Amino acid sequence: MDDFDFDTQAVRAGTQRTAFGEHSEALFLTSSFVFGSAAEAAARFSGEQQGMVYARFTNPTVSMLQDRLAVLEGGESCVVTSSGMSAILALVMGTMSAGDHIVASTGLFGATQQLFGNILRRFGVEHTLVPATEIEAYRRAMRPETKLVFVETPSNPLTEVIDIEAVAAVAHEGGALLAVDNCFCTPVLQRPLELGADVVVHSATKYLDGQGRVLGGAVIGAKSVMEEVFKFLRTAGPCISPFNAWVILKGVETLRLRMEAQSAAALELARWLEQQPGVARVHYPGLVSHPQHEIAMRQQNGWGGAIVSFEVDGGRERAWRVVDSTKMLSITANLGDTRTTITHPATTTHGRISLEAREAAGINEGLLRVSVGLEAVSDIQTDLARGLL
Ligand SMILES: Cc1ncc(COP(=O)(O)O)c(C=O)c1O
């Protein structure tokens, strides 16, 4: 499907039909597969013969999603997992050993910070957090044992934009892989592998599904790296349910339409928020006032994405008032849905990280994150205005 346009790939890449000739992708609910003979079973298990074996690591519906996401991100291969976090876990377990080191950007998703800081450390993998947008800080943090540079751009929730090409150069000088969490942009807005990254990770729970229904994750990159990630998945089993894979396949079909519509609405909302009394600062890469606006426009296909964060005067009390005054917006930690959601990061998604780390990342008590959906922007504005007055 490489010669086809993105829109065509999003609808058709990876599709395989059974002998029944079904038009829509089939959902294979089976935990195992049968073999024609003992010899065939042995050949499948050893990998001598391609084909399905057992649903922890092979399932046709899951394969279709893997092939589609690999094409959309422009990668050789993809491994789909049960959630975004298990995708990140599979990447590090597949590529790192005790004694290795990770350089990561501040402002990573809270659970990613927990994974690097509290869990991997117990297994002898250290990490250093560097200010997300300071390229020289990545260079200074590199050690001979650095195997992975991990960034999230735009960052969650402050939408800081990291120059992927520049960080890729630093990672490669130091002999490390660069992994980009492309959850906020999706391949519609940003294709990190084309900018020099080695690996892309996704929480498919977000825009890839796009309708807040299921959890899923993906790791995409060169075959050599994905083979190691796959070995971890095959053995440890953080596999996606075929049902979830099927739902995400359907979600991906409308990915570009949703991403562009939600990004356009987010830009309108961000411009409006900048004018509101009581709003001290708006973080949105599509605004000219955003410190990395130019990089964002170059790297994100001209779009700012659909996440807008803003700081209100009056700290937590005022921020909670805005949240509690909404009547339509969903108060939930999820993002990337067709329904607009509102979150107070300091007490929810980023509540488990230390106060110092939170302050270093710039996540203060007055900060709110809005994931802009497909409702009319005027209705979102009315809902937010109530608490801002
Ligand atoms: C940027 C980012 N990466 C990873 C994750 C983890 O994904 P999941 O919730 O599917 O495990 C999230 C979840 O919110 C996220 O926002």
Side-chain angles (χ1 to χ4, degrees):
M1 294 291 295
D2 287 352
D3 297 341
F4 286 91
D5 186 86
F6 186 94
D7 285 347
T8 311
Q9 293 168 338
V11 176
R12 292 191 177 265
T15 304
Q16 297 222 21
R17 294 210 170 102
T18 70
F20 290 115
E22 69 280 356
H23 190 202
S24 175
E25 294 81 2
L27 168 55
F28 287 88
L29 290 178
T30 177
S31 47
S32 69
F33 296 83
V34 292
F35 312 107
S37 65
E40 188 175 73
R44 290 269 181 93
F45 265 84
S46 69
E48 240 169 75
Q49 189 189 85
Q50 292 291 304
M52 300 295 142
V53 179
Y54 183 66
R56 188 183 332 110
F57 52 97
T58 48
N59 176 282
T61 312
V62 174
S63 297
M64 288 191 262
L65 178 60
Q66 290 177 158
D67 292 348
R68 186 169 299 172
L69 293 181
V71 168
L72 294 182
E73 283 289 3
E76 278 178 3
S77 181
C78 168
V79 171
V80 161
T81 59
S82 57
S83 68
M85 286 319 302
S86 62
I88 298 171
L89 178 69
L91 171 67
V92 293
M93 296 303 270
T95 56
M96 306 199 71
S97 307
D100 289 345
H101 174 245
I102 303 172
V103 172
S105 53
T106 49
L108 288 179
F109 176 60
T112 311
Q113 295 192 42
Q114 292 287 318
L115 174 68
F116 290 175
N118 295 345
I119 298 178
L120 292 184
R121 178 164 295 159
R122 288 197 276 119
F123 296 88
V125 174
E126 295 287 325
H127 80 292
T128 306
L129 288 179
V130 295
T133 57
E134 286 177 31
I135 302 304
E136 277 315 306
Y138 290 84
R139 191 169 277 118
R140 282 195 301 274
M142 296 294 286
R143 301 181 193 163
E145 60 274 22
T146 306
K147 289 278 166 57
L148 182 68
V149 177
F150 188 99
V151 300
E152 195 179 305
T153 179
S155 68
N156 179 11
L158 288 175
T159 74
E160 286 174 299
V161 176
I162 300 168
D163 187 332
I164 296 174
E165 273 179 342
V167 179
V170 174
H172 296 157
E173 271 165 36
L177 295 174
L178 172 65
V180 176
D181 184 330
N182 202 24
C183 175
F184 273 31
C185 277
T186 81
V188 175
L189 270 52
Q190 172 171 284
R191 306 231 301 173
L193 300 177
E194 284 174 2
L195 298 169
D198 303 283
V199 181
V200 167
V201 295
H202 272 286
S203 167
T205 319
K206 307 299 180 313
Y207 294 101
L208 299 184
D209 165 26
Q211 284 139 89
R213 300 167 293 191
V214 297
L215 269 80
V219 191
I220 300 140
K223 273 205 177 85
S224 55
V225 179
M226 286 310 110
E227 270 164 21
E228 299 308 316
V229 174
F230 177 73
K231 280 183 203 160
F232 176 75
L233 176 97
R234 176 177 182 151
T235 307
C239 50
I240 193 168
S241 145
F243 176 74
N244 289 8
W246 182 82
V247 170
I248 296 166
L249 269 169
K250 299 287 117 195
V252 167
E253 292 181 7
T254 55
L255 185 60
R256 187 183 64 77
L257 299 175
R258 286 184 285 105
M259 287 309 292
E260 292 186 1
Q262 290 175 229
S263 299
L267 178 60
E268 197 179 332
L269 186 74
R271 286 183 176 149
W272 174 83
L273 279 167
E274 274 195 318
Q275 308 303 319
Q276 299 314 299
V279 173
R281 189 165 170 200
V282 182
H283 303 265
Y284 182 67
L287 291 175
V288 180
S289 60
H290 188 284
Q292 297 91 37
H293 174 69
E294 275 173 31
I295 300 172
M297 291 301 99
R298 190 176 73 227
Q299 180 164 282
Q300 297 178 194
N301 232 346
W303 296 97
I307 305 294
V308 181
S309 291
F310 60 101
E311 290 168 29
V312 292
D313 295 325
R316 183 191 296 195
E317 198 186 324
R318 184 76 180 276
W320 279 19
R321 174 143 58 88
V322 173
V323 173
D324 291 340
S325 303
T326 59
K327 292 187 177 159
M328 175 189 76
L329 265 54
S330 311
I331 307 171
T332 171
N334 199 28
L335 57 89
D337 199 298
T338 50
R339 281 156 294 210
T340 300
T341 66
I342 187 162
T343 311
H344 183 244
T347 50
T348 58
T349 49
H350 292 67
R352 282 191 300 160
I353 60 173
S354 69
L355 183 65
E356 303 82 68
R358 212 162 50 226
E359 279 179 355
I363 300 165
N364 63 40
E365 295 274 331
L367 185 76
L368 290 167
R369 184 191 74 195
V370 174
S371 164
V372 180
L374 284 177
E375 306 96 335
V377 181
S378 56
D379 288 329
I380 303 170
Q381 289 167 346
T382 306
D383 220 29
L384 287 171
R386 233 176 268 117
L388 288 172
L389 292 174

PDB file of all heavy atoms in Angstrom, residues 82-86 88 109 111-112 152 156 181 183-184 202-206 215-217 333-335 369, ligand 1:
ATOM      1  N   SER A  82      -1.685  -4.334  24.694  1.00  0.00           N
ATOM      2  CA  SER A  82      -2.952  -4.151  25.412  1.00  0.00           C
ATOM      3  C   SER A  82      -3.257  -2.698  25.780  1.00  0.00           C
ATOM      4  O   SER A  82      -4.407  -2.351  26.028  1.00  0.00           O
ATOM      5  CB  SER A  82      -2.929  -4.977  26.696  1.00  0.00           C
ATOM      6  OG  SER A  82      -1.817  -4.587  27.485  1.00  0.00           O
ATOM      7  N   SER A  83      -2.237  -1.865  25.880  1.00  0.00           N
ATOM      8  CA  SER A  83      -2.432  -0.454  26.262  1.00  0.00           C
ATOM      9  C   SER A  83      -1.195   0.334  25.829  1.00  0.00           C
ATOM     10  O   SER A  83      -0.172  -0.269  25.457  1.00  0.00           O
ATOM     11  CB  SER A  83      -2.602  -0.329  27.785  1.00  0.00           C
ATOM     12  OG  SER A  83      -1.372  -0.647  28.417  1.00  0.00           O
ATOM     13  N   GLY A  84      -1.294   1.650  25.940  1.00  0.00           N
ATOM     14  CA  GLY A  84      -0.123   2.468  25.617  1.00  0.00           C
ATOM     15  C   GLY A  84       1.030   2.183  26.569  1.00  0.00           C
ATOM     16  O   GLY A  84       2.196   2.128  26.169  1.00  0.00           O
ATOM     17  N   MET A  85       0.703   1.995  27.852  1.00  0.00           N
ATOM     18  CA  MET A  85       1.765   1.729  28.829  1.00  0.00           C
ATOM     19  C   MET A  85       2.459   0.400  28.551  1.00  0.00           C
ATOM     20  O   MET A  85       3.676   0.287  28.704  1.00  0.00           O
ATOM     21  CB  MET A  85       1.223   1.762  30.266  1.00  0.00           C
ATOM     22  CG  MET A  85       0.924   3.161  30.779  1.00  0.00           C
ATOM     23  SD  MET A  85       2.137   4.425  30.356  1.00  0.00           S
ATOM     24  CE  MET A  85       3.642   3.764  31.047  1.00  0.00           C
ATOM     25  N   SER A  86       1.684  -0.621  28.145  1.00  0.00           N
ATOM     26  CA  SER A  86       2.360  -1.895  27.868  1.00  0.00           C
ATOM     27  C   SER A  86       3.175  -1.804  26.573  1.00  0.00           C
ATOM     28  O   SER A  86       4.141  -2.558  26.399  1.00  0.00           O
ATOM     29  CB  SER A  86       1.385  -3.070  27.860  1.00  0.00           C
ATOM     30  OG  SER A  86       0.437  -2.918  26.855  1.00  0.00           O
ATOM     31  N   ILE A  88       5.001   0.849  25.853  1.00  0.00           N
ATOM     32  CA  ILE A  88       6.266   1.443  26.321  1.00  0.00           C
ATOM     33  C   ILE A  88       7.061   0.395  27.106  1.00  0.00           C
ATOM     34  O   ILE A  88       8.281   0.254  26.928  1.00  0.00           O
ATOM     35  CB  ILE A  88       5.986   2.716  27.156  1.00  0.00           C
ATOM     36  CG1 ILE A  88       5.281   3.759  26.281  1.00  0.00           C
ATOM     37  CG2 ILE A  88       7.282   3.287  27.742  1.00  0.00           C
ATOM     38  CD1 ILE A  88       4.748   4.977  27.032  1.00  0.00           C
ATOM     39  N   PHE A 109       4.078  11.718  30.110  1.00  0.00           N
ATOM     40  CA  PHE A 109       2.863  11.215  30.744  1.00  0.00           C
ATOM     41  C   PHE A 109       3.221  10.621  32.115  1.00  0.00           C
ATOM     42  O   PHE A 109       4.254   9.951  32.252  1.00  0.00           O
ATOM     43  CB  PHE A 109       2.239  10.165  29.821  1.00  0.00           C
ATOM     44  CG  PHE A 109       1.040   9.504  30.394  1.00  0.00           C
ATOM     45  CD1 PHE A 109      -0.081  10.242  30.751  1.00  0.00           C
ATOM     46  CD2 PHE A 109       1.009   8.134  30.577  1.00  0.00           C
ATOM     47  CE1 PHE A 109      -1.197   9.623  31.286  1.00  0.00           C
ATOM     48  CE2 PHE A 109      -0.104   7.508  31.100  1.00  0.00           C
ATOM     49  CZ  PHE A 109      -1.210   8.261  31.460  1.00  0.00           C
ATOM     50  N   ALA A 111       2.321   8.106  34.049  1.00  0.00           N
ATOM     51  CA  ALA A 111       2.612   6.675  34.228  1.00  0.00           C
ATOM     52  C   ALA A 111       3.946   6.302  33.572  1.00  0.00           C
ATOM     53  O   ALA A 111       4.648   5.400  34.043  1.00  0.00           O
ATOM     54  CB  ALA A 111       1.481   5.823  33.674  1.00  0.00           C
ATOM     55  N   THR A 112       4.319   6.983  32.507  1.00  0.00           N
ATOM     56  CA  THR A 112       5.621   6.722  31.873  1.00  0.00           C
ATOM     57  C   THR A 112       6.732   7.114  32.849  1.00  0.00           C
ATOM     58  O   THR A 112       7.733   6.397  32.999  1.00  0.00           O
ATOM     59  CB  THR A 112       5.757   7.515  30.546  1.00  0.00           C
ATOM     60  OG1 THR A 112       4.591   7.307  29.767  1.00  0.00           O
ATOM     61  CG2 THR A 112       6.983   7.092  29.763  1.00  0.00           C
ATOM     62  N   GLU A 152       8.152  12.736  24.235  1.00  0.00           N
ATOM     63  CA  GLU A 152       6.720  12.818  23.943  1.00  0.00           C
ATOM     64  C   GLU A 152       6.502  14.219  23.396  1.00  0.00           C
ATOM     65  O   GLU A 152       6.790  15.193  24.089  1.00  0.00           O
ATOM     66  CB  GLU A 152       6.010  12.644  25.285  1.00  0.00           C
ATOM     67  CG  GLU A 152       4.557  12.351  25.213  1.00  0.00           C
ATOM     68  CD  GLU A 152       4.032  12.194  26.655  1.00  0.00           C
ATOM     69  OE1 GLU A 152       4.574  11.376  27.419  1.00  0.00           O
ATOM     70  OE2 GLU A 152       3.099  12.921  26.990  1.00  0.00           O
ATOM     71  N   ASN A 156       2.546  16.245  27.396  1.00  0.00           N
ATOM     72  CA  ASN A 156       1.272  16.177  28.107  1.00  0.00           C
ATOM     73  C   ASN A 156       1.490  16.694  29.531  1.00  0.00           C
ATOM     74  O   ASN A 156       2.299  16.114  30.233  1.00  0.00           O
ATOM     75  CB  ASN A 156       0.835  14.700  28.135  1.00  0.00           C
ATOM     76  CG  ASN A 156      -0.461  14.465  28.869  1.00  0.00           C
ATOM     77  OD1 ASN A 156      -1.169  15.401  29.203  1.00  0.00           O
ATOM     78  ND2 ASN A 156      -0.750  13.208  29.136  1.00  0.00           N
ATOM     79  N   ASP A 181       6.770   9.157  21.546  1.00  0.00           N
ATOM     80  CA  ASP A 181       5.367   8.867  21.860  1.00  0.00           C
ATOM     81  C   ASP A 181       4.545   9.815  20.978  1.00  0.00           C
ATOM     82  O   ASP A 181       4.535  11.027  21.194  1.00  0.00           O
ATOM     83  CB  ASP A 181       5.119   9.122  23.354  1.00  0.00           C
ATOM     84  CG  ASP A 181       3.712   8.762  23.787  1.00  0.00           C
ATOM     85  OD1 ASP A 181       2.798   8.871  22.954  1.00  0.00           O
ATOM     86  OD2 ASP A 181       3.531   8.392  24.957  1.00  0.00           O
ATOM     87  N   CYS A 183       1.329   9.931  20.477  1.00  0.00           N
ATOM     88  CA  CYS A 183      -0.064   9.828  20.885  1.00  0.00           C
ATOM     89  C   CYS A 183      -0.867  11.099  20.565  1.00  0.00           C
ATOM     90  O   CYS A 183      -1.975  11.028  20.056  1.00  0.00           O
ATOM     91  CB  CYS A 183      -0.021   9.556  22.380  1.00  0.00           C
ATOM     92  SG  CYS A 183      -1.555   9.521  23.192  1.00  0.00           S
ATOM     93  N   PHE A 184      -0.280  12.265  20.842  1.00  0.00           N
ATOM     94  CA  PHE A 184      -1.028  13.519  20.673  1.00  0.00           C
ATOM     95  C   PHE A 184      -1.228  13.888  19.199  1.00  0.00           C
ATOM     96  O   PHE A 184      -2.199  14.543  18.868  1.00  0.00           O
ATOM     97  CB  PHE A 184      -0.290  14.682  21.355  1.00  0.00           C
ATOM     98  CG  PHE A 184      -0.621  14.846  22.809  1.00  0.00           C
ATOM     99  CD1 PHE A 184      -0.951  13.761  23.599  1.00  0.00           C
ATOM    100  CD2 PHE A 184      -0.593  16.102  23.398  1.00  0.00           C
ATOM    101  CE1 PHE A 184      -1.250  13.912  24.943  1.00  0.00           C
ATOM    102  CE2 PHE A 184      -0.896  16.274  24.741  1.00  0.00           C
ATOM    103  CZ  PHE A 184      -1.223  15.178  25.516  1.00  0.00           C
ATOM    104  N   HIS A 202       2.517   4.344  20.652  1.00  0.00           N
ATOM    105  CA  HIS A 202       1.187   4.935  20.700  1.00  0.00           C
ATOM    106  C   HIS A 202       0.395   4.392  21.862  1.00  0.00           C
ATOM    107  O   HIS A 202       0.466   3.195  22.150  1.00  0.00           O
ATOM    108  CB  HIS A 202       0.378   4.573  19.437  1.00  0.00           C
ATOM    109  CG  HIS A 202       0.574   5.524  18.326  1.00  0.00           C
ATOM    110  ND1 HIS A 202       0.025   6.780  18.328  1.00  0.00           N
ATOM    111  CD2 HIS A 202       1.273   5.418  17.169  1.00  0.00           C
ATOM    112  CE1 HIS A 202       0.364   7.407  17.225  1.00  0.00           C
ATOM    113  NE2 HIS A 202       1.129   6.605  16.500  1.00  0.00           N
ATOM    114  N   SER A 203      -0.401   5.258  22.456  1.00  0.00           N
ATOM    115  CA  SER A 203      -1.547   4.799  23.208  1.00  0.00           C
ATOM    116  C   SER A 203      -2.684   4.848  22.195  1.00  0.00           C
ATOM    117  O   SER A 203      -3.194   5.924  21.872  1.00  0.00           O
ATOM    118  CB  SER A 203      -1.833   5.735  24.382  1.00  0.00           C
ATOM    119  OG  SER A 203      -3.115   5.436  24.898  1.00  0.00           O
ATOM    120  N   ALA A 204      -3.057   3.676  21.686  1.00  0.00           N
ATOM    121  CA  ALA A 204      -4.148   3.621  20.694  1.00  0.00           C
ATOM    122  C   ALA A 204      -5.488   3.922  21.344  1.00  0.00           C
ATOM    123  O   ALA A 204      -6.491   4.155  20.671  1.00  0.00           O
ATOM    124  CB  ALA A 204      -4.173   2.244  20.032  1.00  0.00           C
ATOM    125  N   THR A 205      -5.479   3.919  22.683  1.00  0.00           N
ATOM    126  CA  THR A 205      -6.635   4.297  23.493  1.00  0.00           C
ATOM    127  C   THR A 205      -7.114   5.703  23.142  1.00  0.00           C
ATOM    128  O   THR A 205      -8.270   6.044  23.366  1.00  0.00           O
ATOM    129  CB  THR A 205      -6.203   4.305  24.987  1.00  0.00           C
ATOM    130  OG1 THR A 205      -5.358   3.185  25.235  1.00  0.00           O
ATOM    131  CG2 THR A 205      -7.368   4.314  25.923  1.00  0.00           C
ATOM    132  N   LYS A 206      -6.206   6.518  22.634  1.00  0.00           N
ATOM    133  CA  LYS A 206      -6.505   7.926  22.402  1.00  0.00           C
ATOM    134  C   LYS A 206      -7.081   8.099  20.990  1.00  0.00           C
ATOM    135  O   LYS A 206      -8.104   7.549  20.690  1.00  0.00           O
ATOM    136  CB  LYS A 206      -5.240   8.755  22.644  1.00  0.00           C
ATOM    137  CG  LYS A 206      -4.608   8.489  24.030  1.00  0.00           C
ATOM    138  CD  LYS A 206      -5.566   8.860  25.137  1.00  0.00           C
ATOM    139  CE  LYS A 206      -5.072   8.655  26.548  1.00  0.00           C
ATOM    140  NZ  LYS A 206      -4.447   7.435  26.921  1.00  0.00           N
ATOM    141  N   LEU A 215      -8.916   0.155  25.189  1.00  0.00           N
ATOM    142  CA  LEU A 215      -7.487   0.408  25.391  1.00  0.00           C
ATOM    143  C   LEU A 215      -6.662  -0.352  24.353  1.00  0.00           C
ATOM    144  O   LEU A 215      -7.048  -1.435  23.915  1.00  0.00           O
ATOM    145  CB  LEU A 215      -7.045  -0.049  26.787  1.00  0.00           C
ATOM    146  CG  LEU A 215      -7.128   1.021  27.878  1.00  0.00           C
ATOM    147  CD1 LEU A 215      -8.564   1.138  28.354  1.00  0.00           C
ATOM    148  CD2 LEU A 215      -6.221   0.694  29.037  1.00  0.00           C
ATOM    149  N   GLY A 216      -5.537   0.233  24.004  1.00  0.00           N
ATOM    150  CA  GLY A 216      -4.620  -0.443  23.090  1.00  0.00           C
ATOM    151  C   GLY A 216      -3.335   0.344  23.001  1.00  0.00           C
ATOM    152  O   GLY A 216      -3.279   1.511  23.419  1.00  0.00           O
ATOM    153  N   GLY A 217      -2.288  -0.300  22.505  1.00  0.00           N
ATOM    154  CA  GLY A 217      -1.013   0.392  22.332  1.00  0.00           C
ATOM    155  C   GLY A 217      -0.289  -0.160  21.118  1.00  0.00           C
ATOM    156  O   GLY A 217      -0.666  -1.218  20.594  1.00  0.00           O
ATOM    157  N   ALA A 333     -10.005  11.646  32.757  1.00  0.00           N
ATOM    158  CA  ALA A 333      -8.575  11.755  32.456  1.00  0.00           C
ATOM    159  C   ALA A 333      -8.275  11.386  31.016  1.00  0.00           C
ATOM    160  O   ALA A 333      -7.170  11.624  30.532  1.00  0.00           O
ATOM    161  CB  ALA A 333      -7.791  10.858  33.403  1.00  0.00           C
ATOM    162  N   ASN A 334      -9.214  10.797  30.324  1.00  0.00           N
ATOM    163  CA  ASN A 334      -8.896  10.359  28.954  1.00  0.00           C
ATOM    164  C   ASN A 334      -8.833  11.548  28.008  1.00  0.00           C
ATOM    165  O   ASN A 334      -9.324  12.630  28.302  1.00  0.00           O
ATOM    166  CB  ASN A 334      -9.929   9.338  28.460  1.00  0.00           C
ATOM    167  CG  ASN A 334      -9.382   8.549  27.287  1.00  0.00           C
ATOM    168  OD1 ASN A 334      -8.173   8.367  27.157  1.00  0.00           O
ATOM    169  ND2 ASN A 334     -10.254   8.087  26.418  1.00  0.00           N
ATOM    170  N   LEU A 335      -8.199  11.330  26.884  1.00  0.00           N
ATOM    171  CA  LEU A 335      -8.127  12.372  25.860  1.00  0.00           C
ATOM    172  C   LEU A 335      -8.216  11.691  24.502  1.00  0.00           C
ATOM    173  O   LEU A 335      -8.160  10.469  24.392  1.00  0.00           O
ATOM    174  CB  LEU A 335      -6.838  13.187  26.005  1.00  0.00           C
ATOM    175  CG  LEU A 335      -5.501  12.446  25.948  1.00  0.00           C
ATOM    176  CD1 LEU A 335      -4.983  12.345  24.539  1.00  0.00           C
ATOM    177  CD2 LEU A 335      -4.464  13.171  26.791  1.00  0.00           C
ATOM    178  N   ARG A 369      -6.415  20.957  31.412  1.00  0.00           N
ATOM    179  CA  ARG A 369      -6.176  20.421  30.061  1.00  0.00           C
ATOM    180  C   ARG A 369      -7.514  20.078  29.427  1.00  0.00           C
ATOM    181  O   ARG A 369      -8.334  19.394  30.038  1.00  0.00           O
ATOM    182  CB  ARG A 369      -5.317  19.153  30.147  1.00  0.00           C
ATOM    183  CG  ARG A 369      -4.939  18.602  28.792  1.00  0.00           C
ATOM    184  CD  ARG A 369      -4.326  17.215  28.884  1.00  0.00           C
ATOM    185  NE  ARG A 369      -5.343  16.220  29.179  1.00  0.00           N
ATOM    186  CZ  ARG A 369      -5.085  14.980  29.609  1.00  0.00           C
ATOM    187  NH1 ARG A 369      -3.851  14.604  29.818  1.00  0.00           N
ATOM    188  NH2 ARG A 369      -6.065  14.125  29.844  1.00  0.00           N
TER     189      ARG A 369
HETATM  190  C1  LIG B   1       1.037  10.585  25.912  1.00  0.00           C
HETATM  191  C2  LIG B   1       0.560   9.296  26.500  1.00  0.00           C
HETATM  192  N1  LIG B   1       1.326   8.196  26.373  1.00  0.00           N
HETATM  193  C3  LIG B   1       0.938   7.013  26.894  1.00  0.00           C
HETATM  194  C4  LIG B   1      -0.242   6.886  27.577  1.00  0.00           C
HETATM  195  C5  LIG B   1      -0.618   5.552  28.163  1.00  0.00           C
HETATM  196  O1  LIG B   1      -1.628   4.948  27.417  1.00  0.00           O
HETATM  197  P1  LIG B   1      -2.669   3.892  28.005  1.00  0.00           P
HETATM  198  O2  LIG B   1      -3.589   4.617  28.916  1.00  0.00           O
HETATM  199  O3  LIG B   1      -3.332   3.362  26.759  1.00  0.00           O
HETATM  200  O4  LIG B   1      -1.887   2.843  28.709  1.00  0.00           O
HETATM  201  C6  LIG B   1      -1.076   8.000  27.719  1.00  0.00           C
HETATM  202  C7  LIG B   1      -2.368   7.857  28.438  1.00  0.00           C
HETATM  203  O5  LIG B   1      -3.051   8.768  28.769  1.00  0.00           O
HETATM  204  C8  LIG B   1      -0.660   9.240  27.171  1.00  0.00           C
HETATM  205  O6  LIG B   1      -1.425  10.346  27.287  1.00  0.00           O
END
